[in-house]
Amino acid sequence: DIVMTQSPDSLAVSPGERATINCKSSQSLLYDSNNKNYLAWYQKKPGQPPKLLMYWASTRQSGVPDRFSGGGSATDFTLTISSLQAEDVAVYYCQQYYSSVTFGQGTTVEIK
Amino acid sequence: QVRLQESGPGLVKPSQTLSLTCTVSGGSVSTGTYYWGWVRQPAGKGLEYIGRIYTSGINNYNPSLKSRVTVSLDTSKNHFSLKVDSVTAADTAVYYCARVDYSDSNAFDIWGQGTMVTISS
């Protein structure tokens, strides 16, 4: 099984500042034949279903603000919120779909 | 606009079978490049993948749950279902159904609102 580990578990960022979440996989998520990283990011708010933010590690889902960006390759990935807004307070999960599906443990983002 | 809606009992007794249905509207469960999956979230914990089914009927399950879980498709009712056998309190969670378009994002792009299931006598 592929294990996904996120860091930090939580972070507090001032409004307008940058928030960066890391996600590390226990094996490479880069599929050589298509040069794609099989990684997605979700935003989860209480009482709501998860919302897809990014897929293929760096492709923004339609309707997601461009302050969200994804990067990285193989085993190390990041989700960056360039200018944190109050509505971005949530738990963020990375998820691999290279082999079956596994989620990271989640990172809580709060306003400082 | 495709929408998903979970339904099923909110309370299940220990050792019994948990059964949930996800009804799909605005699209068909039997056509297209999709698979249909289940994810759960116990209170205060993270997301856990349960399993999925392709339109072809092929399944994939979380190895830690595989022995107790069945995901099936009912094309006549345009829904898919989840069964979890021999439930315990550890199966108490919000259960979500979701869709993946494997010709596009390959990620869970559409989700149901979720349904709370409590395992208790």
Side-chain angles (χ1 to χ4, degrees):
Chain A
D1 298 0
I2 299 177
V3 177
M4 306 299 292
T5 304
Q6 293 181 225
S7 62
D9 288 334
S10 65
L11 74 161
V13 176
S14 299
E17 296 299 304
R18 179 185 300 260
T20 300
I21 301 168
N22 302 295
C23 176
K24 190 173 184 66
S25 60
S26 60
Q27 67 184 71
S28 177
L29 304 183
L30 178 61
Y31 195 43
D32 291 341
S33 66
N34 60 10
N35 201 37
K36 288 184 174 181
N37 288 284
Y38 282 55
L39 182 106
W41 288 96
Y42 299 86
Q43 178 190 66
K44 178 72 172 67
K45 296 181 178 180
Q48 297 182 21
K51 175 185 176 182
L52 178 63
L53 297 176
M54 315 290 301
Y55 56 94
W56 301 131
S58 60
T59 302
R60 200 177 297 113
Q61 174 72 337
S62 175
V64 173
D66 61 7
R67 63 181 180 273
F68 290 91
S69 63
S73 185
T75 61
D76 292 279
F77 302 91
T78 57
L79 176 71
T80 300
I81 309 171
S82 61
S83 176
L84 191 75
Q85 308 297 306
E87 62 263 33
D88 300 333
V89 170
V91 180
Y92 292 83
Y93 293 91
C94 60
Q95 174 229 322
Q96 68 80 19
Y97 45 94
Y98 183 93
S99 173
S100 187
V101 170
T102 46
F103 291 93
Q105 81 276 18
T107 294
T108 301
V109 174
E110 300 169 321
I111 295 284
K112 186 185 291 183
Chain B
Q1 177 80 359
V2 174
R3 294 185 185 276
L4 308 182
Q5 179 65 59
E6 306 88 351
S7 59
L11 181 64
V12 180
K13 288 181 167 50
S15 80
Q16 294 192 341
T17 296
L18 179 164
S19 297
L20 296 175
T21 294
C22 182
T23 300
V24 178
S25 58
S28 171
V29 296
S30 59
T31 60
T33 54
Y34 305 120
Y35 65 75
W36 308 93
W38 292 92
V39 174
R40 69 183 183 182
Q41 183 174 35
K45 296 188 178 182
L47 301 172
E48 181 180 33
Y49 169 69
I50 301 171
R52 68 189 184 219
I53 187 165
Y54 288 78
T55 53
S56 62
I58 295 174
N59 290 106
N60 172 270
Y61 297 116
N62 182 333
S64 69
L65 298 170
K66 186 175 182 177
S67 63
R68 297 193 296 127
V69 168
T70 303
V71 179
S72 59
L73 211 55
D74 187 332
T75 57
S76 66
K77 295 180 180 177
N78 209 41
H79 72 210
F80 59 105
S81 300
L82 170 70
K83 290 187 186 299
V84 182
D85 297 326
S86 306
V87 296
T88 69
D91 295 307
T92 295
V94 177
Y95 285 75
Y96 297 97
C97 59
R99 184 196 82 167
V100 168
D101 182 349
Y102 60 84
S103 72
D104 186 16
S105 69
N106 244 311
F108 291 110
D109 62 347
I110 298 176
W111 295 71
Q113 284 301 305
T115 187
M116 178 69 204
V117 179
T118 301
I119 309 302
S120 176
S121 54

